[in-house]
Amino acid sequence: MKTLNRCALAALALVGTSAAFAQSSVTLYGRVNTSFEHQKDGDVSKTGLFNNSSRFGFKGQEDLGGGLMAGFQLESGFDSSSGATDSRGIFARQSEVNLSGGFGMVRLGKFTSESYYATADFISNHNHDTGSSADALYAYPARDINKIAYRTPSLGGATFEAGWAQHEQPSGTGGKNSLDLAANYEIGKLGLGAGYSKLGDQNQFAVRASYSTGPFVMGAYVQRDKNVFIANGGNRTNLRLSAAYIMGVSEFHVNVGRAGNYSNVSNSAATQYTLGYNYNLSKRTKIYTYYTRINNSQAATYGVSAPGNDFSSFAVGVRHNF
């Protein structure tokens, strides 16, 4: 009888454990993105393999009952051309824990600025804004670490997020907290976004619109920043336009960005453009090629090693998501 009772208790324990497991999940995901490129910075050329923000990570959720969910995301970067790990730390790309429910979501840890995702990320879509063709003109003053953020639930297609990153320095040392605000609104095929971030005397504000119709995807953002790329540089306006034509497994991409002069620095303007083609071998794997170029004015240093240099790259690559 005692043996039977022990077996019954063990079975009940196993059932309870299985039910707990059924309410939680953990997912492994990642991206391996490697290109072969011929790059030119001023008069200096180099040819070789280049990593395009390859990464892997873990994310999961646990159902706590009553509509409350606990979640986490840990993400690590690595160099796909050499296998080297991220020198900043194993989960330097993202390290987040969160709680969500009908009230929205509270996030704690390290994660990318939502003002960036609301604006620039939507527009540079040909290679996920990575590698040599990444948007070199977008101003990003936000601090990503030691952050707490709140995201609202969807309010008729609109979401809002506010983030506050702590400097965590002793009083009197001059450390600055970072503020980040974002808004997104999706209605049918039209998407709108806005983002603001501030760190000390640096700040930026941007608005975005994107639209898809049939095989065409189009978008644009306009950004106004202060002192982000040049200390005491003053104000600057940055504009980017992008378009894609999707035909079966083929994608044709073009985007053009223009950064004006900083108000306190003459000849600091620049233009960047990219022409790209992606061929989808599957839902997760693409081969691609692109040509990208940055034309810098005499005092501009976007994407280059010295003021006034121009940058260009011709690339072919493979991107696999898992």
Side-chain angles (χ1 to χ4, degrees):
M1 190 66 171
K2 290 182 179 179
T3 302
L4 181 59
N5 287 339
R6 290 193 185 100
C7 290
L9 289 172
L12 287 172
L14 181 60
V15 170
T17 303
S18 299
F21 286 155
Q23 295 174 21
S24 62
S25 64
V26 176
T27 302
L28 170 67
Y29 69 94
R31 174 179 67 210
V32 185
N33 190 354
T34 310
S35 55
F36 177 74
E37 302 187 29
H38 177 73
Q39 297 184 355
K40 191 173 182 181
D41 179 345
D43 295 327
V44 179
S45 300
K46 62 180 177 180
T47 302
L49 287 180
F50 293 87
N51 172 49
N52 293 257
S53 297
S54 297
R55 63 186 183 179
F56 72 91
F58 304 90
K59 58 184 177 181
Q61 279 191 327
E62 181 186 11
D63 188 345
L64 300 174
L68 185 64
M69 303 288 290
F72 76 93
Q73 188 164 354
L74 302 172
E75 187 171 292
S76 179
F78 65 94
D79 187 338
S80 61
S81 68
S82 66
T85 57
D86 195 326
S87 60
R88 300 171 299 169
I90 187 170
F91 292 122
R93 285 181 60 93
Q94 187 164 351
S95 177
E96 173 187 342
V97 65
N98 57 67
L99 288 173
S100 61
F103 59 87
M105 178 183 287
V106 176
R107 310 169 67 193
L108 302 168
K110 180 188 187 301
F111 39 92
T112 301
S113 158
E114 283 300 315
S115 61
Y116 163 79
Y117 282 130
T119 55
D121 182 66
F122 274 86
I123 305 308
S124 300
N125 56 10
H126 66 281
N127 196 21
H128 291 290
D129 200 23
T130 67
S132 61
S133 64
D135 186 346
L137 309 181
Y138 178 80
Y140 191 108
R143 180 188 288 118
D144 292 336
I145 62 173
N146 308 322
K147 187 187 297 187
I148 180 170
Y150 167 70
R151 179 186 298 163
T152 68
S154 179
L155 305 170
T159 58
F160 304 89
E161 180 155 346
W164 186 253
Q166 316 299 302
H167 63 79
E168 297 191 354
Q169 301 297 318
S171 299
T173 60
K176 300 293 184 180
N177 296 326
S178 177
L179 173 67
D180 189 63
L181 303 172
N184 286 283
Y185 180 63
E186 306 299 325
I187 177 170
K189 298 179 179 180
L190 174 66
L192 302 173
Y196 172 80
S197 51
K198 178 176 174 59
L199 176 61
D201 65 352
Q202 300 180 0
N203 63 72
Q204 69 84 25
F205 175 72
V207 293
R208 175 265 310 178
S210 52
Y211 185 76
S212 62
T213 176
F216 293 97
V217 180
M218 298 163 285
Y221 77 77
V222 180
Q223 182 185 50
R224 183 75 168 173
D225 80 273
K226 182 178 181 180
N227 298 334
V228 175
F229 283 100
I230 302 176
N232 301 313
N235 298 305
R236 180 204 69 154
T237 300
N238 171 33
L239 167 69
R240 184 167 293 270
L241 307 172
S242 73
Y245 178 76
I246 301 171
M247 183 176 63
V249 296
S250 294
E251 302 174 12
F252 301 87
H253 293 270
V254 58
N255 67 69
V256 180
R258 174 67 179 177
N261 290 313
Y262 274 101
S263 56
N264 298 335
V265 183
S266 301
N267 299 313
S268 56
T271 301
Q272 180 183 20
Y273 66 87
T274 302
L275 300 172
Y277 171 74
N278 295 348
Y279 184 85
N280 294 281
L281 297 170
S282 71
K283 290 184 178 180
R284 297 189 300 167
T285 304
K286 291 182 179 182
I287 55 176
Y288 61 86
T289 183
Y290 64 76
Y291 176 77
T292 189
R293 184 174 181 87
I294 303 172
N295 294 326
N296 283 304
S297 296
Q298 186 177 356
T301 58
Y302 298 103
V304 294
S305 58
N309 280 4
D310 293 334
F311 174 84
S312 65
S313 180
F314 176 75
V316 292
V318 178
R319 183 174 73 231
H320 174 74
N321 296 320
F322 61 90

